[in-house]
Amino acid sequence: MLIDSHCHIDGDAFDEDRDEVVKRAKDSGVGTMLNIGTGDPHSDDFRKAVAVAEKYDGVYASVGVHPHDAKLYDDKAEQHLSDLVKSSEKVIAWGEIGLDFYYEHSPRDVQQQVFRRQIRKARELDLPIIVHSRDADDETVEILKQECSGEAFRGGIMHCFGGTPSMAEDLMKIGFLISFAGNVTFKKADQLRDAARVVQLDRLLVETDCPFLTPVPFRGKRNEPAYVEHTARFLAEFYAVEFETLAKRTTQNFMEFFGL
Ligand SMILES: [Zn+2]
Ligand SMILES: [Zn+2]
């Protein structure tokens, strides 16, 4: 039993064969998936993400505006996403939100304002957050330290972790789980593995971020939830534990975190 803590199976890449993709995941022991909605909050993109979760057993959804689209976030967008949260029991998190200074599709100051605003909205709705950070780790940690303190914070997941060991430590201190994607299996990812070394097993999750970041041995092909097993097997070897132990542990971490 494994969980894909971060996938995008509502995306166009899966329009042709979504039923088979979900079936393959379940046949491979991936019984639970968290589908992360992305896109334009003024379109039907997020409605589709929630509809996919509603359609399949074991598929949950998260809604929130990606840093790429931060410039599109306004009162109307926030209302639309809040309504979606209230419309379905399957929506269990707010995200992915955060900072992406690598692509910088939205201005940096707008990304930071919208990141803070969405954390506050998630807290108001009593939802945990899913965070994306690329080339903005210091700024991300600073905002999280400021906005996520206090008892009532429901916690967060740093998805597709790509930071330093000290970033991982800082995040775990403020109640975050650390999720690794297929890129941890790549040959040149030594830096990423240095960070993985400090992550305790009870804070660990695995994800595909599919259709992107396909793990070895399928690198280059479209990624899908069934492949999360390869990342999990790699990490089990890395932590020198049985695969079953890591699978059970990451599943338990996810279930406890979301109270499922
Ligand atoms: Zn992301
Ligand atoms: Zn993602």
Side-chain angles (χ1 to χ4, degrees):
M1 180 71 166
L2 273 170
I3 292 181
D4 185 352
S5 78
H6 189 113
C7 62
H8 298 281
I9 56 170
D10 59 304
D12 299 349
F14 298 104
D15 278 351
E16 299 291 315
D17 62 346
R18 192 169 293 108
D19 288 351
E20 290 97 279
V21 166
V22 171
K23 187 174 182 305
R24 269 201 295 278
K26 293 186 176 177
D27 290 347
S28 323
V30 184
T32 305
M33 294 150 249
L34 180 53
N35 182 57
I36 315 292
T38 54
D40 178 353
H42 302 287
S43 73
D44 276 332
D45 292 348
F46 288 92
R47 231 186 288 278
K48 186 177 173 194
V50 176
V52 165
E54 283 285 318
K55 183 173 178 191
Y56 302 103
D57 262 0
V59 178
Y60 294 88
S62 175
V63 296
V65 173
H66 193 285
H68 290 344
D69 301 310
K71 56 179 185 268
L72 304 175
Y73 198 80
D74 57 14
D75 291 345
K76 208 176 146 209
E78 187 165 277
Q79 190 59 51
H80 172 54
L81 298 186
S82 310
D83 290 345
L84 279 173
V85 169
K86 289 166 190 158
S87 76
S88 167
E89 301 253 300
K90 286 286 198 78
V91 183
I92 57 171
W94 191 283
E96 54 188 292
I97 58 177
L99 304 174
D100 195 314
F101 292 175
Y102 179 79
Y103 286 109
E104 222 177 321
H105 290 327
S106 286
R108 293 184 179 196
D109 60 326
V110 174
Q111 289 189 39
Q112 300 197 34
Q113 283 159 22
V114 168
F115 185 23
R116 285 183 194 274
R117 192 173 159 188
Q118 291 192 90
I119 296 169
R120 289 173 195 170
K121 190 69 202 175
R123 295 194 66 161
E124 193 187 308
L125 294 167
D126 199 28
L127 288 175
I129 56 174
I130 313 291
V131 179
H132 168 111
S133 173
R134 187 150 183 205
D135 279 8
D137 289 352
D138 292 345
E139 292 85 350
T140 298
V141 170
E142 192 192 319
I143 289 176
L144 291 175
K145 276 184 178 164
Q146 289 169 3
E147 299 288 340
C148 299
S149 58
E151 282 287 293
F153 179 56
R154 283 278 285 104
I157 295 172
M158 180 56 69
H159 110 85
C160 189
F161 187 81
T164 60
S166 80
M167 182 186 188
E169 275 161 352
D170 282 348
L171 291 171
M172 289 188 289
K173 260 181 230 150
I174 53 171
F176 272 69
L177 299 181
I178 309 287
S179 183
F180 286 101
N183 52 346
V184 76
T185 68
F186 297 172
K187 255 203 186 85
K188 286 183 180 155
D190 285 331
Q191 229 181 329
L192 197 48
R193 289 185 285 269
D194 284 342
R197 216 157 269 133
V198 307
V199 177
Q200 300 123 30
L201 281 188
D202 62 356
R203 293 306 187 91
L204 181 74
L205 294 175
V206 285
E207 66 173 77
T208 57
D209 202 14
C210 67
F212 316 110
L213 290 175
T214 314
V216 173
F218 299 109
R219 200 174 171 185
K221 293 197 182 137
R222 181 189 71 173
N223 199 2
E224 61 176 69
Y227 296 166
V228 78
E229 183 186 334
H230 299 281
T231 302
R233 285 199 182 277
F234 180 92
L235 283 170
E237 205 178 308
F238 177 79
Y239 289 116
V241 296
E242 295 288 332
F243 168 69
E244 283 71 23
T245 307
L246 187 126
K248 214 170 132 187
R249 195 66 248 193
T250 51
T251 296
Q252 203 177 331
N253 294 343
F254 184 95
M255 292 298 183
E256 278 170 12
F257 181 81
F258 288 108
L260 295 170

